[in-house]
Amino acid sequence: MSTPDLVQQSRRRGGLWLFVVGVVVAAAVALLATWLARDPSASRSPLVGRPAPAFRLPGLGGAPVSLAGLRGQVVVVNFWASWCTECHTEQAALNSTWDRFRDSGVVVLGVDFQDSSDDARDYLARAGISYPTVVDGRSRTALAYGLRGIPETFVIDARGRVVDRVIGPVDEARLAAHITPLLRAAT
Amino acid sequence: MTGHRPFGRKPSASAVFLVLALLVGAVTLVTVGLRGGAPLTPAAQARQIAAGLRCPVCEDLSAADSPAPLAGQMRAQIRQQLAAGRSPAQIRARFVASYGDSVLLSPPARGLGRVAHLLPALVLLVGLATAVVLLRRWRTAEPVPTVATPVDVRPAPRPSRRAPATRPRRSAAARTAIAMALVVPLGTATAVLLNNAVTPRQTAPVAKAAAAPGANQGAVDAPAVTDAQLAAVSTGVAEVRRHPRSVTAHLALARAYAAVQQRQLSTVEYLAAARLSPDDAEANTGLALAAFTAGQPREALTLLDRVLVVTPRYPEALYVRGLVRLMGLKQAAAAKTDLDAYLAAAPFGSHRTAVQTLLAMIPAADR
């Protein structure tokens, strides 16, 4: 084989080799960058479809409430605080959902998160909240539910399984769309 | 004649870099090996676990570094669980069960995350393979001074790095493409890492201090009850006109009419819903209540019995049947059974006070 042929062959092999290396490194870096750049809040809750974490929490001016005691009911667990402006936005939807379904086997349960008791009680009175509300003093329940911020709402079926999680303010239509079939299934 | 040198030439910059890289790798391995031997105190172990977990309310800080109260609770839980004898893997698994893999600051060693764990080994292999290829190429290039001829008595020119006689040179376009293939993804990854490091996005709990007291209260206080109820009627009427065969629309309008004390109109809508869906529990219970208030308790009971055969724990039907039996049919014992069942089925129901009053009205002899 002549020298120019050898040179050409060597050039071709070297170029191919570097191309393969480039592609492998680029693919690996792209995967890593995708992992690092993803938005964690957009991920689906791993709790959906699984048993809801159990809790028993003191009531805000009422009796303690345990999730086990609500077995057989569809439970809407709403994490909120008096200082959370977005919680104010969703309050009308929660109140009307409660008014509509409270005698159909649904319990809306407010979980007060990192709040002062006085502020929370004041908010309950001003917002006309009549559904039961409990206090998550050490945020254990919040951590067990994978809370990423407030407001956050979980819909739990009559068997105690998490059906949906809503990050941010809920709307009445979304809640009703989940609750109605669960009530049919429960009966 | 030049003196003997390995590979027959002065070591190139690539060879120097290769040796330096091997030295750095060896020093790193020794350092890591020495550090790995020291046992961690519980506090250091807790910090190490927290440093590998993402603070969920600030996204780009670890639970160890974040000042957010929820991150503080995470650190407290980690300490408690370590004290309870749980292993770091078990503790991490508990957080993953609640938050998913995204709570981990480094990708998990499974699924797509395995790629990131294999990356260092992959890069090492690729580097070694590249080194082998380069060494082989240098060796083959060594004895071929192709520019020298037999009549040329001058020493063969030393192969220059810039213009080797036998080393193939790539075209400028190929070199640019290779450089781009390496530099662009690396640059992107660096930019992403830097962006994540310097611009943490904060969510509601961290913004607590910024929330002005009483801000955005209008949504809570604004709608007067009567206005809201009237609005519900208007919406309900519009929905029924738009979807005349929708059971949901008729039921919503029936509830809206009932809320503004328009009982007859409410009954008409319940009737429409029951015609469209004969077994609908809410429609039949609404009709039963209408029948009872119109002085027809037996018709009401028939409707309610039918509802409760299909849906035995439907709280509204249990309440109305208890009411019908107690007040309309004077069947105190049967009424008590229904009312007790209502209390069990609706722990926070709207009729609880009324039911307790009704139960108190039942004479002890009839209980």
Side-chain angles (χ1 to χ4, degrees):
Chain A
M1 195 177 278
S2 67
T3 305
D5 285 345
L6 281 171
V7 168
Q8 203 173 356
Q9 189 187 20
S10 169
R11 188 178 291 172
R12 242 187 259 123
R13 284 174 61 190
L16 182 67
W17 174 247
L18 276 170
F19 175 76
V20 170
V21 170
V23 167
V24 169
V25 171
V29 171
L31 281 172
L32 193 61
T34 308
W35 169 269
L36 290 168
R38 79 212 183 288
D39 178 8
S41 66
S43 60
R44 187 172 180 261
S45 170
L47 293 174
V48 171
R50 292 187 175 172
F55 59 80
R56 178 181 166 81
L57 294 169
L60 186 65
V65 177
S66 72
L67 187 63
L70 300 176
R71 187 56 64 88
Q73 309 281 314
V74 173
V75 185
V76 178
V77 177
N78 172 251
F79 288 88
W80 67 282
S82 62
W83 47 263
C84 156
T85 48
E86 286 201 313
C87 302
H88 299 195
T89 312
E90 68 172 0
Q91 197 57 61
L94 286 167
N95 285 352
S96 49
T97 300
W98 172 236
D99 289 341
R100 176 175 168 188
F101 289 107
R102 66 185 296 186
D103 291 315
S104 302
V106 176
V107 174
V108 176
L109 181 67
V111 181
D112 191 23
F113 172 78
Q114 293 178 359
D115 205 355
S116 92
S117 299
D118 288 343
D119 289 349
R121 281 197 199 92
D122 184 45
Y123 177 77
L124 288 189
R126 278 188 291 112
I129 295 172
S130 60
Y131 51 78
T133 303
V134 292
V135 183
D136 186 19
R138 292 184 178 178
S139 304
R140 282 187 180 174
T141 305
L143 286 172
Y145 277 76
L147 205 74
R148 294 189 181 279
I150 53 171
E152 239 181 76
T153 304
F154 294 81
V155 180
I156 299 167
D157 69 13
R159 293 182 303 154
R161 288 182 175 272
V162 177
V163 174
D164 189 26
R165 173 183 69 170
V166 183
I167 295 177
V170 287
D171 63 85
E172 196 180 344
R174 178 165 178 176
L175 283 178
H178 273 297
I179 290 171
T180 310
L182 291 178
L183 288 175
R184 285 197 203 109
T187 54
Chain B
M1 188 74 188
T2 55
H4 174 76
R5 286 195 183 105
F7 313 122
R9 69 173 85 165
K10 186 181 174 184
S12 68
S14 304
V16 173
F17 281 133
L18 183 64
V19 171
L20 277 176
L22 288 171
L23 272 173
V24 169
V27 170
T28 310
L29 280 173
V30 169
T31 313
V32 170
L34 287 176
R35 270 184 51 194
L40 288 173
T41 62
Q45 201 175 15
R47 184 176 163 73
Q48 194 181 55
I49 296 169
L53 296 172
R54 190 186 299 274
C55 161
V57 293
C58 31
E59 293 181 8
D60 298 307
L61 281 175
S62 76
D65 298 326
S66 168
L70 197 62
Q73 300 294 350
M74 286 176 80
R75 293 193 291 270
Q77 273 201 10
I78 292 168
R79 286 193 296 272
Q80 286 164 4
Q81 290 178 24
L82 278 174
R86 292 205 175 86
S87 70
Q90 287 173 319
I91 295 169
R92 274 190 284 270
R94 282 176 76 118
F95 284 106
V96 169
S98 297
Y99 284 95
D101 287 337
S102 61
V103 80
L104 300 172
L105 276 171
S106 20
R110 61 188 150 76
L112 200 60
R114 194 186 289 273
V115 174
H117 283 259
L118 293 176
L119 195 57
L122 189 71
V123 168
L124 183 67
L125 281 175
V126 169
L128 283 174
T130 309
V132 167
V133 167
L134 286 174
L135 287 172
R136 282 180 57 192
R137 189 175 296 173
W138 292 336
R139 276 168 185 261
T140 33
E142 181 189 351
V144 194
T146 52
V147 292
T149 64
V151 292
D152 190 351
V153 293
R154 290 172 299 173
R158 189 175 357 161
S160 151
R161 191 168 61 86
R162 296 182 65 80
T166 57
R167 215 166 136 197
R169 290 210 49 173
R170 287 173 196 87
S171 71
R175 276 181 294 173
T176 309
I178 291 162
M180 292 291 283
L182 292 170
V183 169
V184 169
L186 285 171
T188 309
T190 310
V192 169
L193 282 167
L194 285 175
N195 179 52
N196 283 348
V198 299
T199 56
R201 293 182 292 273
Q202 296 187 337
T203 48
V206 183
K208 177 176 179 176
N216 203 18
Q217 302 271 309
V220 175
D221 299 330
V225 175
T226 311
D227 286 349
Q229 288 174 334
L230 289 174
V233 170
S234 302
T235 310
V237 169
E239 276 298 297
V240 165
R241 280 188 188 148
R242 211 172 300 144
H243 306 290
R245 296 196 62 77
S246 163
V247 176
T248 309
H250 283 290
L251 289 175
L253 184 54
R255 281 192 296 271
Y257 278 139
V260 294
Q261 307 302 318
Q262 294 291 329
R263 295 285 170 198
Q264 285 184 341
L265 291 172
S266 173
T267 304
V268 168
E269 294 304 323
Y270 278 130
L271 203 56
R275 282 195 177 150
L276 288 167
S277 175
D279 290 332
D280 188 275
E282 186 179 349
N284 284 304
T285 305
L287 288 175
L289 188 60
F292 173 60
T293 51
Q296 297 175 322
R298 297 215 168 272
E299 286 75 5
L301 187 64
T302 307
L303 284 166
L304 291 164
D305 284 346
R306 211 161 60 198
V307 169
L308 288 165
V309 164
V310 181
T311 54
R313 280 174 53 83
Y314 182 53
E316 187 72 13
L318 287 169
Y319 165 69
V320 175
R321 193 167 74 174
L323 190 68
V324 168
R325 280 174 164 170
L326 185 66
M327 308 300 282
L329 301 172
K330 312 296 178 197
Q331 298 170 349
K336 182 179 181 307
T337 306
D338 283 340
L339 296 174
D340 283 340
Y342 170 82
L343 291 177
F348 296 98
S350 66
H351 306 304
R352 290 184 73 84
T353 309
V355 166
Q356 278 151 357
T357 308
L358 288 171
L359 284 170
M361 288 166 59
I362 298 173
D366 294 334
R367 294 184 191 185

